[in-house]
């Protein structure tokens, strides 16, 4: 946590915040200018953080921003900072208390998940078969690219129950009946039908 006395440009922060931002603990406890805390911000993220701070101070609205902090060993850590400025009646910013959370592990997990999903899509899109997956309630939540290439419909347009519209009209009722039966009983779904 940290509290920014804006008129005096002094931030008082706890030890964890000081360590994360690379400011000596004693200096953070006594108060230091915001420039000392922001010296470790990744240069690519600094403009967006400054813009978000300025917007919050002009409007009095919540501030929430994710950005990277450079570490002494050359790595970076991701944080999310959140807070809301305290304004005087004339709109002058008096204080800007905030909290910062280290979200590096979450970012790593998100990146690993994106990588895994990209590999999954590369594999499923490289085969000739049309693949799809369905949630237990019968809602279709994934089709590989082969399905969209074959049917010519926009991506996402057959999610949910929209897939039934792809059957030949004479096959729709039968397909729905078999599908509902399989959802109810857990039996494998096996049917032949005509697709548009």
């Amino acid at each position: 946590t940290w509290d920014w006395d804006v008129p005096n440009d002094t931030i008082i922060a706890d030890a964890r915040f000081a360590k994360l931002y690379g400011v000596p603990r004693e200096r953070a406890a006594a108060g230091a200018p915001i420039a000392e805390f922001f010296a470790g911000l990744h240069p690519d993220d600094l403009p967006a953080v400054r813009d978000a701070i300025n917007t919050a101070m002009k409007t009095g609205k919540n501030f929430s921003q994710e950005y990277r902090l450079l570490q002494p060993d050359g790595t970076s850590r991701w944080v999310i900072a959140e807070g809301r400025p305290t304004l005087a009646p004339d709109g002058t910013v008096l204080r800007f208390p905030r909290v910062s959370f280290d979200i590096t592990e979450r970012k790593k997990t998100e990146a690993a998940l994106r990588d895994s999903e990209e590999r999954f899509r590369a594999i499923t899109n490289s085969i000739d078969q049309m693949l799809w997956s369905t949630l237990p309630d019968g809602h279709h939540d994934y089709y590989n690219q082969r399905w969209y290439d074959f049917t010519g419909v926009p991506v996402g347009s057959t999610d949910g129950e929209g897939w039934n519209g792809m059957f030949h009209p004479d096959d729709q009722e039968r397909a729905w009946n078999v599908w509902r039966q399989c959802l109810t009983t857990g039996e494998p779904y096996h049917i032949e039908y005509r697709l548009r």
Side-chain angles (χ1 to χ4, degrees):
T1 60
W2 56 304
D3 189 6
W4 182 18
D5 175 352
V6 177
N8 296 309
D9 189 25
T10 303
I11 290 179
I12 296 176
D14 68 16
R16 290 188 302 182
F17 185 91
K19 181 179 179 183
L20 189 60
Y21 282 74
V23 175
R25 177 187 294 188
E26 300 77 21
R27 183 91 174 119
I34 194 169
E36 290 188 31
F37 291 90
F38 279 9
L41 258 76
H42 194 289
D44 293 345
D45 299 341
L46 188 55
V49 172
R50 282 189 175 139
D51 287 346
I53 288 172
N54 290 335
T55 298
M57 290 197 304
K58 286 177 187 172
T59 64
K61 294 184 178 177
N62 288 336
F63 165 86
S64 181
Q65 196 74 20
E66 293 182 6
Y67 50 89
R68 292 164 289 177
L69 294 172
L70 300 174
Q71 302 298 295
D73 63 1
T75 62
S76 60
R77 299 205 62 82
W78 278 95
V79 298
I80 183 169
E82 298 178 341
R84 185 173 188 161
T86 302
L87 306 180
D90 66 356
T92 303
V93 181
L94 301 176
R95 304 193 87 75
F96 201 157
R98 291 191 273 184
V99 294
S100 287
F101 302 96
D102 186 334
I103 58 169
T104 305
E105 291 307 313
R106 187 190 88 189
K107 287 290 190 177
K108 287 179 182 176
T109 302
E110 288 172 354
L113 183 60
R114 278 192 305 275
D115 182 54
S116 175
E117 187 171 310
E118 287 172 10
R119 283 185 307 216
F120 169 76
R121 289 188 188 280
I123 292 168
T124 61
N125 289 333
S126 69
I127 62 175
D128 292 333
Q129 291 79 15
M130 289 182 277
L131 296 177
W132 45 270
S133 69
T134 307
L135 300 172
D137 65 0
H139 181 93
H140 289 64
D141 63 346
Y142 173 77
Y143 294 91
N144 69 344
Q145 188 59 44
R146 181 71 61 201
W147 167 263
Y148 295 111
D149 293 343
F150 184 86
T151 60
V153 298
V155 171
S157 63
T158 52
D159 290 357
E161 296 180 356
W163 63 281
N164 192 42
M166 300 312 305
F167 300 145
H168 187 284
D170 294 343
D171 296 342
Q172 287 182 7
E173 184 177 349
R174 179 174 52 88
W176 267 116
N177 289 339
V178 172
W179 179 245
R180 286 189 190 106
Q181 175 70 18
C182 292
L183 289 175
T184 301
T185 64
E187 296 172 1
Y189 182 64
H190 180 81
I191 188 172
E192 292 184 6
Y193 48 66
R194 292 163 288 180
L195 285 176
R196 289 194 289 123

